[in-house]
Amino acid sequence: MGVATNQIGAGYGPYSYNPNHAKETGMYANSRFSASPSETSIVTAPTQERVAPAAMGPTNTIPPYLQWEKDPDLDDALHNPDPRFDSRFSDFTLFSARGWMNVGALIILVTGLITLFAGYPIIDHYKHLPGKITGFNLGGINSSGQIPDLPGLPKLIDSETPDSAFTRTGSDGKKYNLVFSDEFNTDGRTFYPGEDAFWEAADLHYWPTGDLEWYDPSAITTKDGKLVITMEEKQVHDLNFMSGMLTSWNKLCFTTGYIELSISMPGTPQAPGLWPGAWTLGNLGRAGYGATTEGMWPYSYDDCDLGTFPNQTAKDGTPQAAATGSDRGGPISFLPGQRLSACTCPGSDHPGPSTNIGRGVPEIDIIETEVNVSTIPFQGCVSQSYQVAPYNFQYTPDISEPATTIYDTSITSMNTYKGGVYQQAVSALSDIDSQFYSGNAYATYGTEYWSDPNNRDDGYITWYSNGQKTWTITAATVGSDSVMEISKRLISEEPMYVIMNLGMSPSFQKQDFKHLTFPVSMFIDYVRIYQREGVKNGVTCDPPNRPTSDYIERHMQAYTNPNLTTWAQAGNLFPRNSLYDGC
């Protein structure tokens, strides 16, 4: 493609500039320059003959077109200002309108920036002054006198809890204040990890009890003002059933107090085999994570003696009762020993507050619902239990009064199941009415317990069914046992978290699949937790006298991988026991 050859093209372009051609075309005829353009450009027009430049002789003068001051460029008005010429156009004045407009614009800009970054925070602060603090906690206090109510953060007490539920009188005659509640009135809630401030749904198989279902977060939601846990017949992870387990592990814990749930049981008492539960567990053990509970569940023990040993047996085989002390005449215990005992050697891996404090994972069952199939018609009932270790001889606690009290023997009796090699169950059964099933009606169930490390004889647990006391155990119920050479077990001093689940296991009760129907749901209207007035550090998973957070953080693999079934699989060792191993 050639270069333009018309009049304009002949005068512009990288290859277009030829002095002869430009002269003939008149391109620069009216130029104010004093000399012709340079001769260094190449002719580009195809119709123009090349004209040889005239010969030039020697000269001592500089051609006019090479003189800078005589041959300025087009923009020399900028390069060579002429003060005399320019002065004719100067009209500077300090009070010019344009100048003040510029200054005003700058002032507006600076003022806007200052207002944005300094003024706005100050204005916002005074428009949103915090309310007057009327208590001793940051953000004020709620009706309990101890739980902070922080704006913008999840509240421990549900705003829809009725005022009438804010206090109660305990079985000990003392005033109890509400410290936590969840009314479940917001429909469509889900509880996948990280979604809720207080609850999290499990995603695992609860293998310790041989359950038939897989726990999946999708099985739990809220509907019509209720928490709904649904079990359905569905193949998942090589199991034939799917259900849900909701826990407050490491999110919401309480130490001593009263917990109450309003529940409608799943199914019908004429179809046995379901295993609905509401229970509390020490925060150092995460339900379904076997590595965390090995050597911890269900210990509640703070003495350094034979009760901390594997199988409750010394290396020399004593006591003899350990080999024949079960209720069937066999070994009394298959537990590996208390991992965090009062015998722990100084400097060992221990949650504190010191290595000579025995720690464990006690379990208090608010309810585990089963069906009494020995009656016609079948009778629904709730098992209300305290799981402990080490064990009494033949798993038999002191069930005589005043150590243990049953309030109405027409509906409550001691459970014939007392335990086995992996747990001792201090348990009673109470009948429940068939109307409290399938969402038709609701009954309240609860436990009230007290413990004091400085006065352990005052400890007790009282269970409730349908709002009425069913039975009570005291520190004496689980006292020392001279035959087994163990000291007293403790009413739990650990921070306890809440678990609600709908399971199914032949180890608990055989399934009547002929009459069981699926899907089937367990309904929970509310959860409320109270504490005795004056209790401090009562609603935390990390109380200073029984800390858990640092220990959990140091062993996070065990607490986050449910496939690890032993402490060793998580890469850990039991601390040495000063009596059993030596330090």
Side-chain angles (χ1 to χ4, degrees):
M1 182 174 180
V3 178
T5 58
N6 58 19
Q7 184 176 3
I8 296 178
Y12 293 93
Y15 307 108
S16 62
Y17 192 24
N18 182 276
N20 296 312
H21 179 68
K23 179 179 180 181
E24 293 177 4
T25 60
M27 184 67 188
Y28 295 102
N30 298 323
S31 173
R32 68 184 179 90
F33 299 155
S34 59
S36 301
S38 168
E39 298 177 354
T40 59
S41 297
I42 301 173
V43 175
T44 59
T47 60
Q48 178 70 35
E49 291 186 15
R50 176 182 292 275
V51 179
M56 297 182 64
T59 179
N60 292 326
T61 63
I62 300 174
Y65 64 84
L66 294 180
Q67 296 180 19
W68 172 261
E69 67 277 8
K70 299 297 184 180
D71 188 18
D73 292 331
L74 290 173
D75 60 352
D76 261 6
L78 299 176
H79 294 160
N80 297 289
D82 185 342
R84 288 178 295 177
F85 178 81
D86 293 341
S87 65
R88 290 179 296 173
F89 301 99
S90 175
D91 59 349
F92 171 77
T93 173
L94 183 65
F95 301 101
S96 70
R98 181 177 180 180
W100 282 109
M101 287 176 62
N102 291 340
V103 171
L106 289 173
I107 292 173
I108 293 172
L109 181 61
V110 172
T111 302
L113 291 172
I114 293 174
T115 302
L116 177 63
F117 293 106
Y120 177 76
I122 296 173
I123 294 170
D124 184 72
H125 169 76
Y126 284 102
K127 288 180 65 177
H128 302 88
L129 289 173
K132 182 180 178 182
I133 296 177
T134 57
F136 50 80
N137 280 312
L138 177 65
I141 55 178
N142 65 4
S143 65
S144 73
Q146 72 175 86
I147 303 303
D149 183 9
L150 303 177
L153 295 178
K155 295 181 179 180
L156 286 167
I157 295 181
D158 194 320
S159 61
E160 299 193 43
T161 302
D163 292 345
S164 60
F166 274 37
T167 62
R168 67 179 293 272
T169 301
S171 65
D172 54 7
K174 299 183 182 296
K175 180 181 180 182
Y176 283 66
N177 294 310
L178 185 69
V179 294
F180 172 82
S181 64
D182 196 334
E183 306 295 322
F184 303 114
N185 284 346
T186 301
D187 286 359
R189 287 169 62 183
T190 55
F191 303 94
Y192 287 84
E195 286 191 337
D196 195 90
F198 305 115
W199 307 107
E200 182 173 315
D203 187 3
L204 51 80
H205 175 224
Y206 201 80
W207 57 267
T209 50
D211 282 31
L212 303 179
E213 77 287 343
W214 179 274
Y215 286 136
D216 190 278
S218 66
I220 307 177
T221 188
T222 53
K223 183 179 180 181
D224 298 328
K226 309 294 188 293
L227 178 74
V228 184
I229 305 177
T230 300
M231 177 181 287
E232 57 182 312
E233 190 171 2
K234 177 180 180 179
Q235 287 195 336
V236 55
H237 297 284
D238 297 325
L239 297 170
N240 294 320
F241 297 91
M242 186 179 78
S243 189
M245 178 170 74
L246 191 66
T247 89
S248 68
W249 174 77
N250 214 34
K251 291 186 173 186
L252 170 70
C253 305
F254 67 103
T255 306
T256 74
Y258 173 72
I259 178 171
E260 179 178 280
L261 298 88
S262 176
I263 304 175
S264 187
M265 300 301 175
T268 165
Q270 303 312 308
L274 299 176
W275 189 3
W279 40 302
T280 60
L281 198 65
N283 196 55
L284 286 174
R286 188 176 185 184
Y289 292 72
T292 69
T293 55
E294 186 192 25
M296 297 291 287
W297 176 85
Y299 283 99
S300 186
Y301 202 59
D302 191 31
D303 280 283
C304 181
D305 58 21
L306 188 142
T308 67
F309 293 178
N311 310 321
Q312 292 182 220
T313 307
K315 289 185 176 180
D316 62 2
T318 59
Q320 180 61 37
T324 59
S326 79
D327 55 356
R328 296 174 179 81
I332 194 168
S333 172
F334 285 172
L335 292 181
Q338 187 177 7
R339 189 206 308 162
L340 301 174
S341 72
C343 303
T344 303
C345 292
S348 298
D349 184 15
H350 191 283
S354 61
T355 57
N356 65 342
I357 299 293
R359 302 294 302 275
V361 179
E363 176 183 334
I364 302 176
D365 298 323
I366 304 165
I367 58 103
E368 293 177 289
T369 306
E370 58 184 277
V371 174
N372 182 357
V373 296
S374 64
T375 64
I376 300 176
F378 294 166
Q379 174 65 55
C381 57
V382 289
S383 170
Q384 300 179 304
S385 313
Y386 185 44
Q387 317 289 344
V388 296
Y391 312 149
N392 287 99
F393 180 68
Q394 295 185 346
Y395 315 117
T396 302
D398 184 353
I399 59 173
S400 63
E401 292 191 25
T404 304
T405 302
I406 293 178
Y407 295 99
D408 185 348
T409 56
S410 67
I411 62 171
T412 303
S413 60
M414 293 302 300
N415 197 334
T416 56
Y417 175 75
K418 298 185 295 183
V421 292
Y422 293 110
Q423 69 187 107
Q424 177 177 339
V426 185
S427 179
L429 297 173
S430 295
D431 295 342
I432 60 174
D433 197 288
S434 60
Q435 67 174 314
F436 299 125
Y437 281 79
S438 298
N440 296 318
Y442 291 77
T444 57
Y445 305 91
T447 56
E448 175 187 303
Y449 83 99
W450 173 256
S451 62
D452 182 357
N454 297 317
N455 195 357
R456 286 169 169 164
D457 289 341
D458 288 347
Y460 71 88
I461 306 174
T462 296
W463 283 267
Y464 291 75
S465 175
N466 199 22
Q468 302 298 314
K469 291 189 292 185
T470 54
W471 77 303
T472 295
I473 67 171
T474 66
T477 306
V478 287
S480 60
D481 189 312
S482 59
V483 175
M484 298 309 306
E485 300 181 19
I486 61 171
S487 303
K488 60 182 177 294
R489 280 63 48 83
L490 307 177
I491 302 300
S492 176
E493 297 173 358
E494 296 287 337
M496 308 289 281
Y497 66 96
V498 185
I499 305 168
M500 298 169 283
N501 67 296
L502 174 54
M504 189 165 61
S505 172
S507 68
F508 181 73
Q509 186 164 39
K510 292 182 179 180
Q511 285 65 51
D512 180 4
F513 286 117
K514 181 178 179 180
H515 297 98
L516 284 170
T517 60
F518 301 94
V520 62
S521 297
M522 172 184 180
F523 303 92
I524 300 170
D525 187 22
Y526 63 76
V527 177
R528 298 172 185 164
I529 300 175
Y530 298 78
Q531 286 195 315
R532 185 185 288 185
E533 193 167 54
V535 169
K536 298 297 187 295
N537 299 310
V539 186
T540 172
C541 294
D542 193 39
N545 67 331
R546 292 296 183 272
T548 67
S549 293
D550 288 346
Y551 187 80
I552 291 171
E553 187 67 28
R554 294 199 305 268
H555 305 94
M556 192 56 70
Q557 183 181 13
Y559 284 94
T560 55
N561 187 348
N563 296 316
L564 302 176
T565 60
T566 67
W567 195 238
Q569 285 181 353
N572 306 304
L573 298 174
F574 277 38
R576 294 181 67 85
N577 183 305
S578 60
L579 285 184
Y580 192 82
D581 305 304
C583 294

